[in-house]
Amino acid sequence: MVVPNLKEAMKRSKEHGIVQTIHYKIDDNLRGIAKGKHYFIKTYGCQMNEHDSENIKGLLEELGFIPVDCMEEADFILLNTCAIRENAHNKVFGFLGRIKNLKEKRPNVIAGICGCMAQEEVVVKEILEKYNYIDLVFGTHNIHHLPKLIHEILIKQENQIEVFSKEGDIIENMPFKRDSKYKAWVNIMYGCDKFCTYCIVPYTRGKQRSRKKEDILTEVQALKENGYKEVTLLGQNVNAYGKDLEEDYYMEDLLFDVSKTGIERIRFVTSHPWDFTDKMISIIASCDNIMPYIHLPLQSGSNTILKQMGRRYTKEEYITLFHKLKEKIPNVAITTDIIVGFPNETEEDFEDTLQVVEECKYDSAFTFIFSPRIGTPASKMEDRIAKEVKEERLQRLNERINYYSKCANEVYKGKTVKVLIEGISEKDDTKVMGYTETMKLVNVKADKNTIGTIIPVKITDVKTWSMDGEAV
Ligand code: 5AD
Ligand code: SF4
């Protein structure tokens, strides 16, 4: 049994040496060991977790597992968890009750937990103490050990708990079973070294490790050859790509080289305002296949709070960057993340945030109430602000965010824009759906055979969260 240790996860040092790249290959003895068995994965949280689940599905299918949509039919149930806020935690612990019931009826079902919660020392302790029906716990740093861990459970009928506190090497050549045939996530880096004071990610995902450019470009090239139209370059803080590599090769260089592959659409998330260089901006502006869409987390508009958050920019610097992006990149859409109710956020601090929203008129935003995470500096800050005050601020903020989302969409009315059609519309199955270059969801009147292609769509109506259109 290897359990996570918070103190170890907090350390950043050179003692672990330069990150190596290891090529994964399934052990031939393991191929097919779960033939005929069924698996069910439930994924919580961000795109990084979604993409990890695609990796896990790839590994499981090499073992012979077959996917099922219904948990009750599965022989192996895995929760890929998120630790970013308390409600993500609560959802997972809530779901464990359903697994317990199922295991009472079918004791041979294997139940596992992985992802960011599995990296938390307190969570694993709680699982070992109170949820002893969980058979498998593994972390974000050892996904590639999953086949071996499953094998141990199958032959020894023993629980397997293996969570490394520290990141290891970068593993290439892993199998992926991608959810879409048209757009793909591509990891460009793992971990984060920014240590914003509220954020648990640097502890659950480890230090920043950039993938080698050759590995990224080979993956994008292969995706293009397999008919993929869009790639999203993924990382906690993509603008810092390359800073940990030995050669001088940074995000702007990578964007340029990915653009040269000729894949039709390139996106990237998430950008920290601190590392946004002018060179990056000019490459985004000049390459037609780099989409004019940027997610630029603000977090707070108050300089006092930004300082306490450890964000490394002021409100003024953020606004200057925002306007530079708007000016240099034609038709760019910019979205953001905002946290309200950081410890001791005053009404004035909150009004500073509202003021930035009035100035930037975001295309859309994800807004959150601060949630203290164990181990982070902000969780130790004394906080005198009442829950009701925080909730009221969130409501006031959302009202302005929604207003500007609708305004941003209004501009599209009557215009013709390019949409990558991804599938049938969830709202209306006579329509198809997809996203504009600027990441706006459009429900489109068009033939189903447009799925998987980029087509011109005339926008006929706009709402706060989506738009309607018809193929032209
Ligand atoms: N409480 C609330 N929101 C948080 N985020 C990260 N950590 C916390 C926390 N402790 C938000 C940030 C980040 C987004 C992914 O989640 O806004 O950008
Ligand atoms: Fe968390 Fe800050 Fe890193 Fe984003 S940049 S993952 S908010 S520590």
Side-chain angles (χ1 to χ4, degrees), residues 84-85 198-199 297 299 337-339 368-373:
I84 200 102
R85 282 171 294 275
Y198 50 82
C199 186
Q299 311 301 7
D337 288 343
I338 297 173
I339 299 176
F368 315 100
I369 291 181
F370 168 74
S371 171
R373 311 312 300 135

Side-chain angles (χ1 to χ4, degrees), residues 84 191-202 236-237 270 272 299 311:
I84 200 102
C192 180
D193 287 343
K194 283 283 186 281
F195 287 99
C196 300
T197 58
Y198 50 82
C199 186
I200 200 167
V201 167
Q236 299 299 343
N237 180 15
T270 288
H272 190 299
Q299 311 301 7
R311 289 292 288 177

